[in-house]
Amino acid sequence: MRQYLRWLALWPMTSLLVACGGGGAGGADNSAYIASVSTFGAAAVPDLPLQLGPLETEQSHLASLSEGGIHVPAYNGYANTGAGVGIAMLDTSIQIGHPDLKDRVVAAHDFIDYDDDPSPPSGSSTRWHGTATSGVVAASANTVGVRGVAPLASLLAYRVIAGEAGESSGPLEDALTAAALARVHVINNSWTHQDNAVLTDVDTNWRAAMNARVGLTSGPVVVFAAGNGGSETLSNYDTYTNDYRVITVGAAGVRGEALSYSEPGANVLLVAPGSRIVTTDLVGAAGISATDYTAASDGFSGTSAAAPMVSGVVALMLQANPNLKPRDVAWILAKTAAPVDCRFCQDWLAPQPSAQGFPDFSLQYGFGRVDASAAVDLARTHSPVATTRQCDSGWKAPGSLPQYGLNLPDNSSTGVSSSYTVGACDLVIDRVEIQLKASPQTSNDLANYSGDLHVVLTSPTGLMSELARPHGCPADCGDIRDGFTFSSVRHMGERAQGVWTLKVSDEKRNDLSRFDAWRLIIHGH
Ligand SMILES: [Ca+2]
Ligand SMILES: [Ca+2]
Ligand SMILES: [Ca+2]
């Protein structure tokens, strides 16, 4: 399936050019490549001690929390380097010959042009995104340039995202499948579909590949950028970041403050620095900078920069404790996250208390800012969480039978609430999926009714997940008569037992809406 996907850097979006993708010389599709994939071979490690590059002192994101960084642990021999860990970068073009990436890349494929070279064409000025994200994860511990968070990790460089406006992305399910067959430990995704706040499931092929290849107890840890659309386009409107297996990462500023462009959402697990990150750039004049690296003055910004920082931290955690499963990783990242300065956040984004043992949660930054040293320390001593289980409410109607849905008062916060009691199926919550079906009251108005809805889930102990807010869309906010699936990490650590309530209200005039049904699926242990 060809579709338009968006990489998530903030600059230089004004200089995008239109180009055509697809139809390369390597073949007619990716099937031959996928058939050839076997377990990745880890990159060779250099002799100790590891070398320092001259620009590492300018990589403030590696510094302590008080300096606005993620507190990467010091090398300890080969420890805290990501050695042996494989990370697939599903991204735009990646310059695999870059002096700070060439020793890290152990496999490469171009899923758009069907060949094995994901590099940008020489002289390209704009196709720098995948080179920047790759350096954040794993730029080499050598004598040149910068270092990554996990500088001895192995990279699989997969070009699958359009690098230019108007260019078609490749089949994501192919790249996801290849990464899983290569048995990588982490898949980094610094992209989304258009940040347009439309409630629609955009990619059933991707979901099918996730279902086939990625689980909570096996398979790679899948990390996604939250998106750069700000509070008008919550990450809870996005198919990918709503997947219950995904770790969604927002961006924080250079002083650890919340950033307004970073999309809030109940599915945001945590944030990482996303402002002016010093990383690898296209060699020479091409790219963001005139040199081979971005500088603090012209650095790499966006949730695109934040996500690979967390992917690098996950690599360090998995090196420290190879027995961690995706759920353990999410649990540790949440528990060890550090507070974010939310003084300038809007009121509805203020931090709120969480379940016992977890930091306060804000839709703006999740459980907080990633703390690499604390996450690695806890990873070493963490006992795997118990076998995953689910509580599933099945579809519930807000009205009593035979009435199915209930009309919502228009332009009112009164709304309609529906409750479900979790009884015997008790567990400790990892995360929650909420499916919602809502309709327009009149059949001739399918365009914007879903943008009128305010949707809030309240747990038995009173913790709230705000899942959708009244918002506008360029054309169509999405038809959710057949359902839309939100997810929330906000209830992590709570017990499932008790009364859950979903309140839906229509808080904009004109379009008239109806709350038809909902379903609660609690993942826990
Ligand atoms: Ca280096
Ligand atoms: Ca450059
Ligand atoms: Ca309305």
Side-chain angles (χ1 to χ4, degrees):
M1 185 172 74
R2 291 287 181 180
Q3 57 183 320
Y4 293 100
L5 297 161
R6 196 85 175 92
W7 40 275
L8 284 168
L10 290 179
W11 189 94
M13 287 193 175
T14 52
S15 62
L16 292 176
L17 303 170
V18 176
C20 297
D29 59 32
N30 297 304
S31 56
Y33 176 72
I34 291 171
S36 76
V37 171
S38 57
T39 303
F40 80 93
V45 295
D47 292 337
L48 292 174
L50 299 179
Q51 304 295 315
L52 296 177
L55 298 176
E56 293 184 20
T57 53
E58 303 192 14
Q59 292 185 281
S60 59
H61 64 277
L62 303 173
S64 67
L65 296 177
S66 62
E67 295 169 291
I70 64 169
H71 195 198
V72 290
Y75 302 145
N76 175 16
Y78 292 112
N80 303 328
T81 61
V85 176
I87 303 164
M89 305 298 295
L90 273 54
D91 215 301
T92 66
S93 299
I94 299 171
Q95 194 168 56
I96 57 176
H98 191 289
D100 244 338
L101 297 177
K102 64 183 172 57
D103 295 332
R104 306 270 57 81
V105 176
V106 297
H109 189 67
D110 183 335
F111 289 85
I112 298 174
D113 285 347
Y114 316 132
D115 60 45
D116 286 335
D117 186 5
S119 305
S122 79
S124 168
S125 60
T126 54
R127 295 173 183 266
W128 49 265
H129 185 271
T131 302
T133 57
S134 296
V136 171
V137 177
S140 288
N142 54 14
T143 56
V144 299
V146 297
R147 59 161 286 191
V149 174
L152 298 190
S154 303
L155 294 180
L156 288 79
Y158 284 171
R159 177 181 179 239
V160 68
I161 304 299
E164 311 281 322
E167 184 181 64
S168 295
S169 289
L172 293 158
E173 61 275 19
D174 286 357
L176 184 66
T177 299
L181 290 171
R183 302 182 70 82
V184 299
H185 302 89
V186 187
I187 300 178
N188 187 78
N189 301 273
S190 287
W191 52 268
T192 188
H193 60 83
Q194 300 286 342
D195 286 328
N196 56 9
V198 177
L199 297 177
T200 182
D201 186 349
V202 295
D203 198 339
T204 52
N205 291 341
W206 177 84
R207 191 179 304 287
M210 284 288 286
N211 291 342
R213 305 288 177 184
V214 178
L216 287 170
T217 53
S218 64
V221 176
V222 180
V223 176
F224 261 86
N228 299 338
S231 58
E232 281 297 297
T233 58
L234 302 183
S235 60
N236 268 129
Y237 305 154
D238 184 325
T239 299
Y240 302 106
T241 49
N242 271 325
D243 188 281
Y244 69 93
R245 293 154 290 207
V246 160
I247 289 175
T248 297
V249 181
V254 289
R255 292 175 301 281
E257 76 278 19
L259 290 177
S260 60
Y261 71 74
S262 183
E263 289 181 24
N267 53 15
V268 174
L269 188 72
L270 77 177
V271 294
S275 272
R276 300 179 179 178
I277 302 304
V278 176
T279 181
T280 42
D281 185 38
L282 297 181
V283 167
I288 296 179
S289 155
T291 73
D292 301 352
Y293 299 91
T294 64
S297 57
D298 61 7
F300 172 38
S301 294
T303 54
S304 267
M309 244 170 260
V310 170
S311 289
V313 173
V314 174
L316 302 183
M317 294 164 66
L318 290 170
Q319 183 190 17
N321 182 352
N323 295 321
L324 298 180
K325 303 300 185 228
R327 282 185 313 147
D328 299 303
V329 168
W331 195 265
I332 292 168
L333 287 171
K335 282 204 156 196
T336 57
V340 172
D341 181 351
C342 214
R343 268 178 297 177
F344 303 108
C345 294
Q346 300 171 58
D347 287 348
W348 61 282
L349 299 170
Q352 304 290 331
S354 300
Q356 191 172 9
F358 285 82
D360 289 356
F361 185 92
S362 163
L363 295 170
Q364 181 70 60
Y365 60 69
F367 289 103
R369 188 155 48 111
V370 65
D371 180 339
S373 290
V376 169
D377 285 348
L378 184 54
R380 288 187 210 287
T381 58
H382 173 83
S383 303
V385 294
T387 307
T388 187
R389 294 187 292 126
Q390 295 181 345
C391 305
D392 184 346
S393 70
W395 283 103
K396 308 290 294 179
S400 54
L401 293 173
Q403 187 178 25
Y404 187 46
L406 287 176
N407 289 341
L408 298 171
D410 190 46
N411 195 29
S412 163
S413 61
T414 301
V416 167
S417 293
S418 177
S419 293
Y420 171 71
T421 301
V422 175
C425 179
D426 196 19
L427 41 73
V428 178
I429 298 170
D430 289 319
R431 68 178 73 193
V432 170
E433 288 183 278
I434 306 93
Q435 299 178 2
L436 172 66
K437 291 181 180 178
S439 314
Q441 290 180 29
T442 54
S443 59
N444 60 357
D445 183 19
L446 282 172
N448 285 313
Y449 76 95
S450 69
D452 289 15
L453 302 180
H454 192 196
V455 182
V456 180
L457 177 74
T458 304
S459 76
T461 61
L463 303 189
M464 298 189 349
S465 284
E466 190 166 14
L467 302 168
R469 293 169 63 85
H471 65 276
C473 307
D476 181 340
C477 281
D479 178 7
I480 60 169
R481 285 177 297 176
D482 294 330
F484 183 80
T485 301
F486 301 97
S487 78
S488 173
V489 296
R490 198 262 170 283
H491 305 282
M492 196 176 264
E494 278 193 89
R495 296 207 77 94
Q497 214 159 48
V499 180
W500 293 78
T501 302
L502 191 74
K503 180 182 175 186
V504 183
S505 46
D506 178 334
E507 300 187 7
K508 290 172 78 174
R509 63 180 74 252
N510 297 328
D511 298 315
L512 303 176
S513 346
R514 185 168 60 228
F515 175 11
D516 290 322
W518 68 297
R519 179 180 177 187
L520 180 68
I521 302 173
I522 302 173
H523 299 270
H525 58 273

